Amino acid sequence: MIATKESAIDKFMKMVEQRNPAQTEFHQAVYEVALAVIPFIEQHPEYQKANILERMIEAERILIFRVPWMDDAGNFRVNRGYRVQMNNAIGPYKGGLRFHPNVTLSVLKFLAFEQVFKNSLTTLPMGGGKGGSDFDPKGKSDNEVMRFCQSFMTELFRHIGKDTDIPAGDIGVGSREIGFLFGQFKRLTNEFTGVLTGKGFAYGGSLIRPEATGYGLLFFVDEMLKLKGDSIKGKKVLISGSGNVAQYAIEKTIAFGGIPITASDSDGFIYDPKGITTEKLAFLFDLKNNRRGRIVEYAEKFGCEYFEGERPWKIPADVALPCAVQNELNEDDAQMLVDNGCRLVAEGANMPTTPAAIALLQRNGILYAPGKATNAGGVAVSGLEMSQNSVRLFWTREEVENRLKGIMQKIHEQCIAYGKNADGSIDYLRGANIGGFVRVADAMLAEGHV
Ligand code: NDP
């Protein structure tokens, strides 16, 4: 029986690799889904007959375009822009924009594919997409970033719209970039609509959107621990990254009584054994969001250890929350977590844990939950921002946060519904993948062969 499942998955992956050569990140994201979904499809011939999974891995539309811009010294510069419109079976395309030098079509296809399942899990009416550029905002002046964003939007605006495709932020695209992109969209179309989410509150943004991914992650972790009769109170927590997701994951960890002891950036990580407190977090917010400095400055300021070029996973702790980038936690890292007694790994970033590391964690009975479930809070509040824009109202912080909490609880329930093992334990990976798949697949069946 197992041999049949493996061979069906192998055959499927061979086809994926042949049709998408050299797109390794995309192969990895599809493989993670295939492992859970193909055995499920084998028991549901209606999905098999309609070739649903084969149709889901083919993007509905991919746009690739030139982005010319001029730097402050008057040099002519060029980058590549992308938008991957993956699937709109349950709603308009929705997903962030990433500006980072390692952005490729493979990275954006992996992110867009993940987004389809994640958005489905939120239970809100949002399809999946992702976009971005190999432009690096780091080290650029505000004026250079503005000229780049204006040029990027000068092509993208033709392909997006409040009922078609609604981009948001991701790595390298924060409130500054969203502001510039929105300004240019408005200028080109003469329309003030909710075409982007993550907007500033002054021009149509939602309260709690900046906090949503980090807070949502902790709401989910809270549910996982509650099910075990436990809580995060007093637990040591490893967090990687120091950007949007990491900052608010640290904030909510503190609020729940946990002790965040690490943070990182692409240069290294800090280890603060006494815990990052609210006061120290205020320094981190200012360092990263206003001064755009490096994490080493935290260690200098508070006199704690800094590990250059390393990641936090070797530090003993109870919980690990990777919140930086894909494939930042490998098999060796997972082994260190296991050896040091870590009990739970939940992803704030997209696909931060390699397949070998996931297998190792699961083999060792560590509670592991994938990003498509645990970091869905960001897109969920983006969905709530769209609702508020449609009815031209603003909800209070409490209202948005309560809705976010409710959505994370519903995602957790779906993971249980589809991921419960015979011994009562929960396979969150299987639960999230099948839970995300079913709603999209049913909509695709209903909408015909389009
Ligand atoms: P930010 O750009 O705000 O922060 C990214 C963080 O990751 C920075 O600390 C950055 O350090 C670090 N980082 C980037 N590349 C590397 C690398 N190669 N090695 C080590 N660290 C690295 O992005 P976000 O916080 O928004 O996003 C983080 C992750 O969460 C991404 O995977 C994103 O897709 C995912 N996510 C984000 C959501 C959101 O709402 N923002 C929603 C759902 C998922 P440095 O400054 O040195 O580059």
Side-chain angles (χ1 to χ4, degrees):
M1 186 65 186
I2 287 171
T4 323
K5 280 177 192 165
E6 279 178 350
S7 70
I9 293 165
D10 288 347
K11 207 169 132 207
F12 178 76
M13 286 312 301
K14 208 174 274 172
M15 178 274 290
V16 172
E17 284 163 24
Q18 269 166 7
R19 285 179 61 79
N20 304 276
Q23 296 183 354
T24 49
E25 293 86 356
F26 180 59
H27 302 163
Q28 187 181 331
V30 173
Y31 179 64
E32 183 186 300
V33 168
L35 279 179
V37 166
I38 289 182
F40 177 77
I41 290 179
E42 283 174 346
Q43 291 159 10
H44 293 81
E46 67 277 21
Y47 299 136
Q48 200 153 33
K49 188 164 162 246
N51 234 1
I52 292 288
L53 193 58
E54 285 78 355
R55 285 159 60 191
M56 280 173 82
I57 58 164
E58 201 60 45
E60 286 170 11
R61 188 176 299 106
I62 296 180
L63 307 151
I64 302 182
F65 50 93
R66 178 170 62 196
V67 189
W69 59 282
M70 189 169 279
D71 66 24
D72 287 345
N75 297 306
F76 292 87
R77 306 280 289 263
V78 66
N79 283 92
R80 190 171 294 166
Y82 304 86
R83 186 73 184 162
V84 178
Q85 297 180 332
M86 201 75 197
N87 190 304
N88 69 357
I90 61 169
Y93 309 108
K94 178 93 198 87
L97 297 171
R98 178 175 291 192
F99 291 170
H100 192 278
N102 74 9
V103 160
T104 60
L105 184 56
S106 170
V107 167
L108 295 178
K109 279 174 68 179
F110 118 61
L111 289 164
F113 185 67
E114 288 260 311
Q115 197 80 44
V116 173
F117 294 79
K118 182 186 310 190
N119 293 4
S120 164
L121 283 168
T122 67
T123 69
L124 299 175
M126 300 182 292
K130 200 85 188 187
S133 172
D134 57 358
F135 173 76
D136 188 359
K138 238 183 273 166
K140 306 286 189 306
S141 71
D142 287 351
N143 281 335
E144 287 175 327
V145 170
M146 180 175 72
R147 285 194 292 275
F148 175 82
C149 288
Q150 290 177 342
S151 182
F152 184 85
M153 186 52 85
T154 299
E155 176 56 36
L156 188 69
F157 89 100
R158 298 173 223 283
H159 312 287
I160 61 175
K162 68 178 172 46
D163 297 317
T164 312
D165 183 353
I166 307 95
D170 190 74
I171 292 179
V173 179
S175 55
R176 173 182 61 171
E177 290 76 15
I178 291 290
F180 293 148
L181 290 163
F182 184 75
Q184 184 71 351
F185 179 88
K186 195 164 55 69
R187 183 184 189 197
L188 289 165
T189 57
N190 199 26
E191 269 182 15
F192 193 111
T193 61
V195 67
L196 291 164
T197 59
K199 300 187 292 295
F201 187 65
Y203 61 97
S206 173
L207 293 171
I208 303 288
R209 176 60 190 90
E211 295 89 340
T213 308
Y215 279 18
L217 172 64
L218 268 296
F219 286 138
F220 196 95
V221 168
D222 190 43
E223 292 298 311
M224 292 171 82
L225 288 169
K226 257 196 234 156
L227 202 62
K228 293 263 168 197
D230 203 350
S231 86
I232 203 160
K233 200 162 192 291
K235 293 203 165 44
K236 289 190 174 163
V237 182
L238 303 178
I239 293 178
S240 65
S242 51
N244 174 265
V245 178
Q247 291 168 12
Y248 290 103
I250 293 171
E251 187 170 280
K252 211 45 160 185
T253 298
I254 298 170
F256 277 160
I259 309 164
I261 54 174
T262 62
S264 70
D265 60 23
S266 48
D267 294 337
F269 79 92
I270 57 105
Y271 170 40
D272 190 341
K274 292 195 204 113
I276 303 173
T277 57
T278 305
E279 293 70 35
K280 292 172 179 175
L281 181 60
F283 173 84
L284 189 70
F285 273 119
D286 181 53
L287 174 71
K288 286 293 174 182
N289 304 345
N290 302 328
R291 295 194 282 120
R292 296 182 191 274
R294 309 306 298 159
I295 197 73
V296 65
E297 293 174 51
Y298 179 103
E300 288 160 2
K301 168 93 180 161
F302 298 111
C304 67
E305 276 184 280
Y306 172 65
F307 296 83
E308 192 173 345
E310 292 190 55
R311 298 181 292 212
W313 318 125
K314 66 179 187 183
I315 304 293
D318 308 295
V319 170
L321 306 176
C323 295
V325 73
Q326 66 268 14
N327 293 327
E328 56 165 316
L329 198 164
N330 65 25
E331 201 175 2
D332 294 341
D333 300 322
Q335 188 62 58
M336 284 191 281
L337 291 173
V338 171
D339 293 345
N340 287 331
C342 177
R343 302 297 311 140
L344 186 152
V345 176
E347 299 181 336
N350 285 311
M351 212 169 73
T353 318
T354 65
I358 296 172
L360 192 145
L361 293 172
Q362 290 193 319
R363 266 201 316 277
N364 284 278
I366 310 293
L367 275 179
Y368 160 79
K372 55 172 72 77
T374 49
N375 70 29
V379 75
V381 174
S382 277
L384 301 179
E385 182 173 331
M386 288 158 66
S387 304
Q388 293 170 81
N389 290 166
S390 295
V391 292
R392 294 185 158 77
L393 279 176
F394 292 105
W395 296 330
T396 62
R397 287 183 75 82
E398 292 69 33
E399 196 161 357
V400 180
E401 190 167 338
N402 282 336
R403 284 176 194 262
L404 168 64
K405 190 173 175 186
I407 290 170
M408 297 314 294
Q409 286 168 338
K410 271 193 266 174
I411 296 174
H412 189 257
E413 282 164 18
Q414 291 175 77
C415 290
I416 295 177
Y418 290 104
K420 198 165 197 161
N421 294 317
D423 65 2
S425 63
I426 311 299
D427 182 338
Y428 285 93
L429 186 64
R430 191 175 80 236
N433 281 309
I434 299 177
F437 170 82
V438 167
R439 185 161 164 241
V440 178
D442 287 348
M444 288 174 74
L445 283 182
E447 290 168 13
H449 196 193
V450 293

